């Protein structure tokens, strides 16, 4: 009888724990989406792992960046247990998302938390250049971002700036010594990107920077 009662007690404790854990899981991601910073802080104080992923593989920090939920972001970055390098299914890091959105304060905090400025593949500098966020680009370069980093398809930050960014972003990369002759897997240079995107400002800057013997039409490409 004693063993029976003991087993019943264990089952009750387990069921209570499982129910509370399941509830915490749902609450955590609901709070991340709704910018409920106090709810997140309470869960972390109770020992909830801030690096838990939802069914789609997203962490609370990635969800908060996506929404955005700025107060939740602050709470998660304040927690030393938060791994700022956990990435989404597209291999995007929190630093990349902050750079793309032009959130310089978050870029500063993430770098202070040792976020990887030079992760393999697409990098934060690619993303900052895509958004044309010059101040963030400068910040990343000051922290030794590789200016000619190549994405999985060979694209560089200069190519992204030429196609999607701004003239100021192109100029910054040129001033900092970006290689105008590099090509991606399709054989395209940054100048080709600018022409394809019909970006006359970027075409002008890149044409002035490309040596005459490397321009199209002379058979030396």
């Amino acid at each position: 009888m004693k063993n029976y009662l003991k087993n019943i007690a264990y089952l009750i404790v387990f069921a209570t724990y499982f129910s509370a854990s399941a509830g915490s899981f749902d609450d955590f991601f609901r709070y991340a989406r709704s910018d409920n910073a106090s709810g997140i802080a309470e869960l972390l104080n109770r020992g909830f792992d801030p690096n838990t992923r939802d069914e789609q593989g997203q962490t609370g920090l990635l969800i908060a960046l996506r929404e955005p939920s700025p107060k939740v972001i602050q709470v998660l970055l304040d927690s030393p247990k938060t791994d700022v390098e956990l990435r989404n299914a597209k291999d995007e890091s929190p630093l990349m998302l902050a750079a793309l959105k032009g959130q310089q304060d978050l870029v500063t905090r993430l770098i202070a938390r040792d976020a990887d400025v030079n992760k393999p593949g697409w990098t934060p500098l690619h993303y900052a250049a895509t958004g044309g966020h010059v101040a963030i680009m400068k910040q990343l370069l000051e922290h030794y971002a590789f200016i000619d980093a190549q994405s999985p398809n060979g694209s560089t930050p200069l190519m992204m700036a030429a196609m999607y960014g701004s003239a100021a972003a192109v100029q910054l990369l040129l001033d900092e010594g970006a290689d105008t002759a590099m090509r991606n897997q399709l054989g395209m240079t940054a100048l080709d990107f600018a022409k394809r995107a019909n970006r006359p400002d970027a075409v002008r800057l890149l044409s002035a920077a490309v040596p005459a013997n490397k321009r199209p039409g002379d058979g030396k490409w």
Side-chain angles (χ1 to χ4, degrees):
M1 185 66 177
K2 288 183 179 180
N3 287 337
Y4 174 77
L5 293 175
K6 189 176 182 180
N7 289 335
I8 292 295
Y10 280 144
L11 288 173
I12 292 173
V13 169
F14 177 78
T16 302
Y17 173 79
F18 181 80
S19 177
S21 297
S24 297
F25 179 90
D26 293 335
D27 289 343
F28 180 74
F29 295 107
R30 185 172 73 252
Y31 295 158
R33 289 189 294 270
S34 62
D35 203 19
N36 186 337
S38 60
I40 292 287
E42 181 181 351
L43 287 174
L44 297 185
N45 288 334
R46 284 161 42 190
F48 190 85
D49 183 359
N51 303 308
T52 302
R53 294 181 183 270
D54 67 6
E55 294 87 349
Q56 286 73 47
Q58 298 269 42
T59 65
L61 181 57
L62 289 167
I63 289 172
L65 283 162
R66 181 193 68 197
E67 289 302 321
S69 297
K71 291 182 287 186
V72 165
I73 292 171
Q74 297 305 319
V75 171
L76 290 172
L77 289 182
D78 284 340
S79 171
K81 294 182 179 179
T82 301
D83 184 346
V84 301
E85 270 306 299
L86 294 181
R87 302 165 192 165
N88 63 20
K90 297 179 180 179
D91 198 39
E92 294 171 321
S93 67
L95 180 56
M96 291 170 69
L97 298 179
L100 180 64
K101 293 184 176 184
Q103 297 170 309
Q104 190 171 9
D105 57 333
L106 292 182
V107 168
T108 299
R109 290 203 65 186
L110 287 162
I111 290 176
R113 288 288 310 273
D114 294 323
D116 193 352
V117 172
N118 284 311
K119 65 174 283 295
W122 292 103
T123 68
L125 186 58
H126 280 100
Y127 274 40
T130 297
H133 303 304
V134 173
I136 292 176
M137 293 169 66
K138 288 181 179 179
Q139 187 175 12
L140 293 169
L141 290 168
E142 287 169 359
H143 284 84
Y144 310 106
F146 181 35
I147 196 169
D148 292 320
Q150 290 183 283
S151 73
N153 64 18
S155 297
T156 66
L158 183 60
M159 295 172 191
M160 295 296 97
M163 191 162 194
Y164 303 108
S166 62
V170 172
Q171 187 66 65
L172 171 65
L173 292 170
L174 292 175
D175 290 344
E176 294 295 325
D179 188 344
T180 59
M182 292 183 70
R183 300 174 182 273
N184 69 0
Q185 290 180 354
L186 295 177
M188 295 177 63
T189 65
L191 181 56
D192 296 325
F193 271 77
K195 290 177 177 179
R196 174 167 291 188
N198 193 25
R199 294 278 310 282
D201 51 351
V203 170
R204 175 177 53 80
L205 291 171
L206 288 162
S207 295
V210 175
N213 67 342
K214 296 295 184 181
R215 293 175 189 170
D218 65 357
K220 297 183 179 180
W221 270 36

